[in-house]
Amino acid sequence: MLVIVRFSLYTQSSVRAYVTGESEWSKGQKDAVFYLNRYVESKSAFDYDLYTYAIAVPLGDHLARISLNQSPPDTEAAKTGFLQGKNHPEDIGGLIKLYVHLHDTLLMREPVELWKKGDVIILKIQKLAEALKQTVDSTPQNTKAIKLLIDEINRLNIELTPIEEDFSNALGEISRQINTWFYVMSLIFTAILVAIGVTLSRRMVQFNLMATEKIKNSELRFKALLGSSMDAVIEINAESEISHWSAQAEQIFGYLEYEAIGEKLHLLIIPAEHIEAHLMGMRRFLKTGDGPVLNKRIEVTAKRKSKEEFPAELVVSAYALNGKHMFCAYIRDITEQKKYAEKLRTIAHFDSVTGLPNRLLFQDCLDGQIKLCDQSNLPLSVMFIDIDNFKDINDTLGHQTGDYLLKEVSKRMLGCLRKADFLARFGGDEFVLIVNQFSADDDVDDVAERLIEALKVPFQIQNEMVYVTISIGISSYPTDSHSYHELVKNADQAMYMVKKSGRNGYAHFNTAMEESVVLKRQLTSDIRLALQDNQFEIYYQPIVDLQTNQILKCEALLRWNHPSKGMIQPGVFIGIAEDTGLIVEIGDMVFQRALAAVLGWRKTVHPDFQVSINVSPVQLHQAGGNNWCYKLKNALSLTDALVIEITEGVLVNANEVVSKALLEYRDAGIQVALDDFGTGYSSLSYLTKFDIDYIKIDKSFLVDLSEASENYALCEAMIVMAHKLGLAVVAEGVETPEQLALLKQIGCDYAQGYLFARPIPELDVESFLIQFNTRKLEVVNT
């Protein structure tokens, strides 16, 4: 009898452990899919890490099963897998033995097959998740591919649900079969004892004494086994009366065994508000033989003797004893697990640097505030706040100082807000603020002005005085949008307009901003198509040598012949190309075509002919164009065929990458011209620090040019200065013979402008140059 009891108890405990393990498996799988969905929305590495943590649970159980299927079974690897699957260490021995000895029997065959099916789907989800991460991290992102991947993951998630339910039901059936087997074996054993007693009446007393001793020992061992369990083990009958109360139950609930035995379970440990649900479940089982919570791990609220309520996990199994229904409950106190989960929630919803709510919590709050606004009919505003030039602070003072500054900025901003307002850190140096239920736009403006004024006071950080300004964009609900994403996007657009207008201010979103963004997006798409379809054309404007009256130079000027909009000037699209990085590809295209053109003109016009190419600061900052040096050297070593034109702003903001690019041009023999000279910084230090070959006087200095004008004196001074530094001078925008005569008078080297020619299409350049240089074409003013 003892063997039967021990085997039944051991098997029941192992089955219970599998039930608990399945619950952890199911939770890990569901959590993994949840965090993958959230990762697609947030693009946060932290959400992907949470997915990895969750998927590790079912993968651990998979490892355990594969290890135990080996011959011989790898029990050490199986232990590692079960621990990873969050199975309790004390349960693992039973899990391994039950699987090794019974996995191929009729008893365990169904749950093992269901386990295998679940593992196949889990491995598919893992592979899809890896593909999803690569797709999310790629640039540009393929939103269609992301959607297909996450839809497939969600489909597999749905496919797993019936498998999990079937697995739990199969384990429940095993538990019932074991109970029935135990009951039958008990009857058989009892019958044997009776037969032996009848046959051996003389030894009746002896057998009774032996049986009594065995039963007593069995009970003691049974209690010892239950007492060593991490769960409280409680047995009740159909009337909810407690018939067994383990030592762990005493520790968890505070009632001693004698206080609990015979008492009603629901009056002892179930909170009042849950008693009726418990009794209804009992009545349903007694009536139908079915219970939705049987052999499944569920979370409930329990009550201690001290009346303190706490969260608990519960697994209930039912069996028949002497023709009566009995229930065995395994209860675990999960207070500490709940605390840990709350800690994880805090990590997931609050910024670690400033302590402010993060983007995820901000979205939840804004969605809730929108619903409240619908009820109160009062508006709300979203402010998108960006710290101006924060990158410079990080680069010069270090990221630790930058983080400290973010904390201090957030504290100062919080001091300007009302209790109803909600401030969050969006990421980097970006903050978002919800201004709730205000009565007039002036109220929102007051908040913005308070924030700007508060941050004007410098921050004392160690021995540094750090000055901070902010740019604020404002969008309002419901006037500007009715959704979270649109409100934030519109506020971001308004903030961007503040940045473009000089920073340190605020602006409200308006439809013009949206139209500007739409136009920019459309033009960006059109530029990409223009590069593919060769819509860009290069015109060339001659540069006349004022000493020889010959044209041996031209400036390459880009034009866009749009199929529907016609000819688009560079001023319309160059800025967009720079913002999107497409300027690098455009610059390479201009280089290739200009190089081919100048090599041809060196054969037909003059062997020393040059073409000037304008280079964007973006190209230099991205080290774009440095491969031009190599290509020029391969083009018959004619590195002097092209002149690179840059603006003074490039030199002012020159970093290590820009300086290196300019040095490579110099070492390759490529000449550099400084365009629009005189309109920017005009610092002699830039002229001496970098190797410049030409300066190009801006056409604004030629307006009303006469010997008595200030512009004449400025032009003369710039020419004298350039010649002293060994630089040649090109005057731009020459339109009249009078301007030409005065420029020659003060020693200008070259001239460019409509007096000689407007920009000429590439196919017409060669004939124009030959005619001009052979004096068949005179200077014209067109």
Side-chain angles (χ1 to χ4, degrees):
M1 188 68 176
L2 175 61
V3 173
I4 296 172
V5 171
R6 290 189 64 181
F7 177 78
S8 174
L9 179 62
Y10 186 86
T11 307
Q12 279 279 32
S13 178
S14 299
V15 171
R16 190 273 308 160
Y18 270 101
V19 171
T20 303
E22 185 278 331
S23 300
E24 293 290 349
W25 192 98
S26 176
K27 183 177 184 300
Q29 171 255 316
K30 296 297 182 186
D31 287 348
V33 173
F34 169 78
Y35 289 126
L36 281 177
N37 278 274
R38 198 165 74 181
Y39 170 66
V40 168
E41 292 295 325
S42 68
K43 310 299 184 296
S44 167
F46 180 75
D47 283 339
Y48 193 82
D49 290 341
L50 290 177
Y51 149 75
T52 304
Y53 176 79
I55 200 70
V57 175
L59 290 177
D61 288 338
H62 169 69
L63 171 62
R65 181 178 63 77
I66 296 301
S67 302
L68 294 177
N69 281 337
Q70 296 180 14
S71 182
D74 188 347
T75 57
E76 289 302 317
K79 288 178 182 179
T80 301
F82 279 130
L83 285 173
Q84 182 180 328
K86 290 190 175 181
N87 293 278
H88 196 278
E90 295 187 9
D91 291 335
I92 291 177
L95 292 171
I96 292 175
K97 290 181 180 178
L98 183 65
Y99 187 93
V100 169
H101 296 302
L102 299 179
H103 77 278
D104 203 30
T105 64
L106 185 62
L107 185 69
M108 286 291 290
R109 191 170 297 161
E110 181 181 0
V112 169
E113 288 301 316
L114 291 169
W115 190 355
K116 290 179 181 178
K117 288 182 181 179
D119 279 354
V120 170
I121 297 176
I122 280 295
L123 293 175
K124 288 182 180 179
I125 290 176
Q126 183 189 24
K127 289 184 178 180
L128 289 171
E130 293 171 354
L132 178 65
K133 187 173 190 305
Q134 292 178 358
T135 307
V136 170
D137 290 345
S138 63
T139 304
Q141 288 186 351
N142 188 337
T143 55
K144 183 177 180 182
I146 292 173
K147 184 177 186 305
L148 289 173
L149 287 169
I150 200 65
D151 286 348
E152 179 61 12
I153 289 170
N154 289 329
R155 186 192 69 75
L156 291 173
N157 182 43
I158 295 172
E159 187 177 340
L160 270 171
T161 300
I163 295 176
E164 295 166 354
E165 292 177 353
D166 291 346
F167 186 81
S168 294
N169 292 335
L171 292 175
E173 182 60 28
I174 291 172
S175 179
R176 288 188 288 273
Q177 289 180 17
I178 292 172
N179 286 329
T180 301
W181 178 84
F182 170 67
Y183 180 69
V184 170
M185 291 302 295
S186 297
L187 289 177
I188 292 173
F189 190 78
T190 302
I192 291 172
L193 289 177
V194 171
I196 293 174
V198 171
T199 306
L200 305 172
S201 57
R202 293 180 182 180
R203 303 177 63 183
M204 180 69 72
V205 174
Q206 182 180 0
F207 273 111
N208 285 339
L209 291 173
M210 291 175 61
T212 302
E213 186 66 21
K214 286 182 178 180
I215 292 172
K216 182 179 179 180
N217 290 337
S218 296
E219 289 178 350
L220 290 174
R221 290 174 181 175
F222 183 76
K223 288 184 178 181
L225 288 171
L226 292 182
S228 64
S229 172
M230 294 293 293
D231 297 340
V233 182
I234 302 172
E235 184 184 62
I236 63 172
N237 58 24
E239 286 73 40
S240 194
E241 293 175 347
I242 298 171
S243 55
H244 177 79
W245 187 262
S246 71
Q248 191 66 15
E250 292 184 342
Q251 294 183 21
I252 291 176
F253 293 101
Y255 293 99
L256 297 176
E257 183 180 16
Y258 78 87
E259 294 178 294
I261 297 297
E263 297 293 331
K264 300 283 189 181
L265 178 76
H266 56 276
L267 298 179
L268 214 62
I269 67 170
I270 298 177
E273 62 270 23
H274 301 303
I275 290 177
E276 183 57 32
H278 164 75
L279 295 177
M280 286 179 62
M282 294 280 289
R283 289 193 293 267
R284 175 179 176 177
F285 177 82
L286 295 173
K287 182 178 180 181
T288 66
D290 181 38
V293 302
L294 288 176
N295 300 304
K296 292 183 179 179
R297 182 181 63 86
I298 61 172
E299 187 174 315
V300 298
T301 301
K303 181 180 65 175
R304 306 188 202 274
K305 184 178 182 180
S306 64
K307 307 304 180 185
E308 173 196 358
E309 296 184 2
F310 65 95
E313 285 182 348
L314 168 69
V315 177
V316 178
S317 61
Y319 57 94
L321 184 62
N322 298 326
K324 296 181 180 180
H325 290 295
M326 300 294 292
F327 302 90
C328 190
Y330 302 88
I331 304 173
R332 179 172 296 182
D333 185 348
I334 58 171
T335 302
E336 292 303 317
Q337 292 93 316
K338 281 290 187 178
K339 289 180 180 178
Y340 181 71
E342 179 60 25
K343 184 177 180 181
L344 286 180
R345 192 195 75 83
T346 300
I347 293 172
H349 289 85
F350 289 88
D351 174 47
S352 60
V353 175
T354 63
L356 292 174
N358 63 11
R359 183 193 298 246
L360 188 63
L361 188 54
F362 172 79
Q363 179 173 354
D364 292 341
C365 179
L366 183 54
D367 289 338
Q369 290 300 324
I370 287 174
K371 293 176 182 177
L372 290 176
C373 287
D374 291 338
Q375 297 171 5
S376 65
N377 292 323
L378 287 174
L380 67 77
S381 283
V382 172
M383 291 188 181
F384 201 102
I385 305 166
D386 185 89
I387 301 175
D388 299 327
N389 301 315
F390 181 75
K391 183 179 182 298
D392 294 341
I393 297 173
N394 260 346
D395 292 344
T396 56
L397 300 180
H399 288 277
Q400 186 174 359
T401 300
D403 286 349
Y404 179 79
L405 179 62
L406 289 172
K407 293 179 186 177
E408 295 305 307
V409 167
S410 63
K411 289 178 185 177
R412 201 174 286 185
M413 287 196 294
L414 285 171
C416 300
L417 306 180
R418 306 169 304 167
K419 290 184 178 179
D421 300 330
F422 186 89
L423 179 66
R425 185 184 177 200
F426 216 56
D429 60 339
E430 297 173 339
F431 297 82
V432 280
L433 170 65
I434 303 174
V435 182
N436 285 302
Q437 301 184 0
F438 55 88
S439 56
D441 287 342
D442 290 344
D443 295 340
V444 180
D445 293 347
D446 287 343
V447 174
E449 289 169 2
R450 286 201 304 272
L451 291 172
I452 292 170
E453 287 299 317
L455 295 176
K456 281 183 178 179
V457 180
F459 293 85
Q460 177 74 42
I461 302 179
Q462 296 177 351
N463 297 324
E464 297 282 347
M465 294 295 291
V466 179
Y467 292 83
V468 169
T469 61
I470 55 174
S471 298
I472 304 174
I474 306 170
S475 65
S476 297
Y477 176 87
T479 55
D480 294 330
S481 176
H482 287 75
S483 74
Y484 161 82
H485 293 290
E486 288 293 322
L487 281 170
V488 174
K489 183 191 75 173
N490 292 344
D492 187 24
Q493 289 177 10
M495 184 275 294
Y496 179 73
M497 296 305 294
V498 176
K499 292 279 190 185
K500 292 187 68 175
S501 302
R503 302 181 173 85
N504 193 28
Y506 66 92
H508 289 267
F509 172 79
N510 56 55
T511 54
M513 294 178 186
E514 179 69 18
E515 292 169 359
S516 173
V517 172
V518 171
L519 177 61
K520 180 179 179 180
R521 186 165 56 244
Q522 182 61 53
L523 279 177
T524 300
S525 177
D526 287 352
I527 291 172
R528 296 183 191 277
L529 289 175
L531 282 166
Q532 296 174 12
D533 299 341
N534 296 319
Q535 296 173 15
F536 288 110
E537 299 178 2
I538 301 178
Y539 281 54
Y540 294 86
Q541 188 170 31
I543 300 173
V544 179
D545 186 331
L546 297 184
Q547 300 299 317
T548 64
N549 289 325
Q550 294 284 300
I551 299 176
L552 300 182
K553 301 178 186 293
C554 282
E555 181 181 356
L557 300 170
L558 187 64
R559 298 290 184 269
W560 180 7
N561 193 356
H562 195 283
S564 61
K565 298 182 176 70
M567 197 65 74
I568 300 177
Q569 297 300 311
V572 176
F573 65 86
I574 288 296
I576 296 174
E578 289 179 329
D579 289 343
T580 58
L582 290 171
I583 193 65
V584 176
E585 189 174 348
I586 292 172
D588 287 343
M589 178 271 296
V590 172
F591 166 80
Q592 296 284 3
R593 290 171 59 175
L595 178 60
V598 73
L599 291 179
W601 295 333
R602 283 198 162 200
K603 295 176 182 178
T604 59
V605 178
H606 196 279
D608 295 327
F609 201 88
Q610 287 184 318
V611 169
S612 298
I613 301 176
N614 289 282
V615 176
S616 162
V618 175
Q619 292 171 268
L620 290 175
H621 278 83
Q622 295 185 5
N626 288 358
N627 61 333
W628 296 357
C629 302
Y630 175 77
K631 292 180 180 178
L632 281 171
K633 288 178 180 178
N634 286 345
L636 303 177
S637 299
L638 299 178
T639 54
D640 62 339
L642 295 181
V643 177
I644 304 300
E645 291 196 13
I646 61 176
T647 60
E648 290 177 286
V650 171
L651 303 184
V652 172
N653 299 308
N655 58 17
E656 184 178 348
V657 175
V658 173
S659 300
K660 182 180 178 183
L662 293 174
L663 285 173
E664 288 183 3
Y665 290 143
R666 181 200 66 186
D667 295 342
I670 300 173
Q671 294 181 318
V672 178
L674 196 57
D675 199 10
D676 300 331
F677 187 78
T679 61
Y681 303 90
S682 304
S683 172
L684 293 177
S685 64
Y686 299 124
L687 296 177
T688 56
K689 182 178 179 182
F690 299 97
D691 285 315
I692 306 298
D693 299 282
Y694 302 89
I695 63 169
K696 300 186 74 173
I697 299 175
D698 188 73
K699 64 183 179 180
S700 61
F701 291 99
L702 273 62
V703 176
D704 298 328
L705 188 65
S706 66
E707 289 191 50
S709 66
E710 288 184 359
N711 281 346
Y712 181 86
L714 289 172
C715 287
E716 184 176 24
M718 284 188 278
I719 292 169
V720 170
M721 175 196 66
H723 287 168
K724 289 288 185 181
L725 294 173
L727 309 179
V729 181
V730 181
E732 297 182 294
V734 180
E735 298 183 355
T736 68
E738 290 77 17
Q739 292 172 332
L740 179 60
L742 291 171
L743 289 169
K744 286 184 175 182
Q745 180 177 312
I746 55 179
C748 188
D749 302 296
Y750 299 93
Q752 175 182 352
Y754 288 176
L755 177 65
F756 309 105
R758 292 177 179 272
I760 304 169
E762 182 177 335
L763 294 177
D764 300 331
V765 172
E766 184 176 321
S767 62
F768 175 86
L769 295 174
I770 293 173
Q771 290 183 60
F772 189 97
N773 289 342
T774 56
R775 295 297 180 270
K776 293 181 180 179
L777 186 65
E778 298 296 330
V779 172
V780 293
N781 184 13
T782 58

